[in-house]
Amino acid sequence: MGERTASVDADPRRWWGLVVIALAQLMVVLDATIVNIALPSAQRDLHMSDGNRQWVITAYTLAFGGLLLLGGRIADLVGRKRTFVIGLIGFAAASALGGAATTSGTLFGARALQGVFAAVLAPSALSLLTTTFTDPRERGKAFGIYSALAGSGSAIGFIVGGLLTEYLNWRWCLYVNVPIAVIAVVGAFALLHDTPRHAGARLDVPGVLLGCGGLVAIVYGFSEAEPRGWADPVVLGLLAAGVVLIATFVWWQNRAPVPLLPLHIVKDRNRAGCFLTMALATIGMFGLFLFMTYYLQVILGYSPVRTGLAFLPLTAAIVVGATQISARLLTHVAPRTLMVPGMILAAGGMLVLTRMTVGSSYATEILPALILMGLGMGLTFMPVFSTATAGVAPQDSGVTSATVNTSQQVGGSIGTALLNTVATTSSAAYITAHLHNPAQKNLVIREGIVHGYTVAIWCAVGVMLLAGLIAGLMVTTKPPKYGVPAQEPVPESAA
């Protein structure tokens, strides 16, 4: 115990280092949603078609989700601090390019570049956190803060996006990343410790092509399902190609001399349970963001700023759940003791939203659901991040961190495409069945849109409950203070 305390006390600036890491993570996560509210303004300004406007979102998520494993391995090979700084500088440059875009193609390309550098930045940020905080009690506090930002960053993106769009213009939704990145770069040089490059390390090029190619195909396939439909040959072909590439990737990882993703990482029962829980949880959460944004603006007539502020209780609840509940309890209770109730709470919040109508009151019907959802996510995300990255050998911390982020990003992409398709189909069926009187056309259309949302939210409730079931059955590790110290690799027999 004395040695561990001494090692922790040797770096009194570690909490300021956490601020730098958290700032970078917040920038990456909120950028997935900050442009959502600004999208109508950008579409008008750059003359985008309705069919092409989705690429402002998809170009980012596609590059981010598809290249995360590569980014994680680069962090392990090159050094986490160096990769962190490179990611920050590249992200800031891509943001400036997007903010100055004069054509839609330039904006799409800039968003893709943001995704590329986010895929480099996010794993290095999480692995820096993993190696900086190894004491179980401090680790709980640090991961509570990190998880609160990871869980609430998307909601914060709506608030910031609404403010910037309404009072400045949509370009500032991208420009805002530049000063944030500059502060984080200065802080990284001053506060973070570098890790040496591993001697003899090599990049698994076939693994990169197979793994990243498979993820890109799957994410792209789900993103195309929204405009094309699930039965479209392009969508089916992309999903099939993605599955084949991922299967080949797994086969190759058993034979590669230096694998991109060492399979012992995902073979560990607890980590696999965390990855699945994260993916399923974000399927429901990103669907909620999509539906509530349109519901508040289109159905209830909220302005961009008011819409963003409506998400503030959700953000606050996530922060409370992660930092004041999970972070305080994780050293005393098993992770699944937090994760299972968290998913049940989140499912309960979604269940409340299935009752919303065209005339629902925000204070009595929407607000309670957002608070329940936020508390549930806060309870879940913190133990997921902490457990998934605990007990990993130092040379694998980057790729393990990338796998957690990949689960979150791919889950969000799938959730957006899947639930939006369900909502659109259900809305069309409702309108067709109920549109008998032309005089009531507008009302029926509005009711049909809300009906589609509620049907999709019912699906999200099921996904959340499945996430809780998986967490309960697979994540069997003990509280951190009774288990293996965080800086030591978990023996394979422990899986």
Side-chain angles (χ1 to χ4, degrees):
M1 178 67 72
E3 291 181 4
R4 186 182 65 191
T5 303
S7 66
V8 171
D9 291 342
D11 184 14
R13 300 179 303 170
R14 63 194 177 281
W15 292 105
W16 284 109
L18 172 62
V19 172
V20 174
I21 295 169
L23 191 63
Q25 175 67 14
L26 176 63
M27 182 178 68
V28 168
V29 174
L30 69 81
D31 225 73
T33 56
I34 193 171
V35 299
N36 279 35
I37 293 179
L39 187 53
S41 300
Q43 182 180 1
R44 290 192 300 269
D45 199 10
L46 300 182
H47 310 292
M48 299 179 211
S49 68
D50 288 346
N52 286 335
R53 66 184 177 185
Q54 62 152 331
W55 283 104
V56 176
I57 310 298
T58 305
Y60 181 79
T61 58
L62 183 61
F64 190 11
L67 298 175
L68 268 165
L69 278 178
L70 175 60
R73 183 49 78 191
I74 289 173
D76 288 332
L77 299 183
V78 176
R80 299 178 189 98
K81 178 178 175 180
R82 186 179 303 172
T83 307
F84 184 77
V85 171
I86 291 171
L88 283 169
I89 294 172
F91 197 89
S95 299
L97 176 64
T102 56
T103 65
S104 58
T106 303
L107 180 58
F108 299 156
R111 289 287 287 167
L113 277 176
Q114 280 186 303
V116 170
F117 285 106
V120 172
L121 178 58
S124 58
L126 184 53
S127 57
L128 279 167
L129 184 66
T130 301
T131 55
T132 299
F133 295 92
T134 55
D135 177 82
R137 190 173 299 277
E138 288 200 343
R139 184 181 175 88
K141 294 178 183 177
F143 272 86
I145 295 170
Y146 181 91
S147 303
L149 290 173
S152 63
S154 297
I156 294 172
F158 286 116
I159 299 170
V160 176
L163 291 169
L164 292 174
T165 301
E166 190 157 326
Y167 295 112
L168 294 172
N169 62 54
W170 67 268
R171 297 180 184 277
W172 280 97
C173 292
L174 295 163
Y175 285 144
V176 71
N177 293 320
V178 177
I180 296 175
V182 169
I183 294 171
V185 167
V186 173
F189 279 118
L191 300 167
L192 301 179
H193 298 292
D194 209 348
T195 53
R197 183 182 183 276
H198 297 290
R202 291 182 297 157
L203 193 62
D204 175 20
V205 176
V208 170
L209 296 176
L210 291 169
C212 296
L215 286 174
V216 167
I218 290 173
V219 175
Y220 187 24
F222 277 112
S223 69
E224 286 295 291
E226 180 183 346
R228 293 175 179 269
W230 290 101
D232 186 86
V234 173
V235 173
L236 295 176
L238 284 167
L239 294 178
V243 170
V244 170
L245 286 170
I246 292 296
T248 309
F249 169 78
V250 173
W251 171 84
W252 170 250
Q253 294 307 284
N254 276 318
R255 292 156 179 79
V258 186
L260 177 66
L261 175 61
L263 292 184
H264 65 83
I265 291 174
V266 293
K267 285 180 180 177
D268 179 83
R269 175 175 181 166
N270 293 297
R271 274 193 287 274
C274 288
F275 297 151
L276 286 173
T277 301
M278 173 62 78
L280 292 170
T282 50
I283 284 176
M285 187 177 75
F286 274 67
L288 171 74
F289 290 152
L290 177 70
F291 299 137
M292 292 312 299
T293 299
Y294 279 93
Y295 176 78
L296 292 171
Q297 290 196 65
V298 176
I299 304 300
L300 299 187
Y302 282 22
S303 68
V305 169
R306 192 179 179 189
T307 299
L309 292 175
F311 282 101
L312 192 58
L314 172 70
T315 304
I318 291 175
V319 172
V320 170
T323 63
Q324 301 304 310
I325 302 177
S326 281
R328 294 176 183 271
L329 293 179
L330 187 58
T331 55
H332 305 288
V333 301
R336 65 177 173 181
T337 309
L338 298 170
M339 294 162 65
V340 174
M343 284 293 90
I344 293 174
L345 269 178
M350 299 291 275
L351 194 61
V352 172
L353 289 178
T354 62
R355 300 176 59 83
M356 68 183 184
T357 66
V358 294
S360 291
S361 165
Y362 175 83
T364 59
E365 297 173 69
I366 308 301
L367 179 60
L370 294 180
I371 292 174
L372 285 174
M373 182 82 172
L375 286 173
M377 286 298 180
L379 281 172
T380 303
F381 280 164
M382 185 270 164
V384 164
F385 280 120
S386 181
T387 304
T389 56
V392 179
Q395 66 269 21
D396 292 330
S397 65
V399 73
T400 305
S401 303
T403 308
V404 181
N405 281 288
T406 299
S407 300
Q408 184 180 22
Q409 193 63 32
V410 173
S413 299
I414 292 172
T416 300
L418 173 63
L419 297 180
N420 190 63
T421 300
V422 171
T424 303
T425 305
S426 301
S427 294
Y430 181 95
I431 293 170
T432 301
H434 292 80
L435 187 56
H436 305 302
N437 185 353
Q440 297 182 327
K441 180 179 179 180
N442 289 336
L443 176 61
V444 172
I445 289 176
R446 287 160 58 86
E447 289 177 343
I449 291 172
V450 175
H451 172 76
Y453 293 165
T454 58
V455 172
I457 291 171
W458 271 111
C459 296
V461 170
V463 172
M464 292 286 188
L465 293 176
L466 178 59
L469 179 63
I470 287 175
L473 295 177
M474 294 185 67
V475 184
T476 58
T477 188
K478 298 176 181 178
K481 69 176 181 179
Y482 298 116
V484 181
Q487 66 268 34
E488 296 179 9
V490 174
E492 292 189 7
S493 60

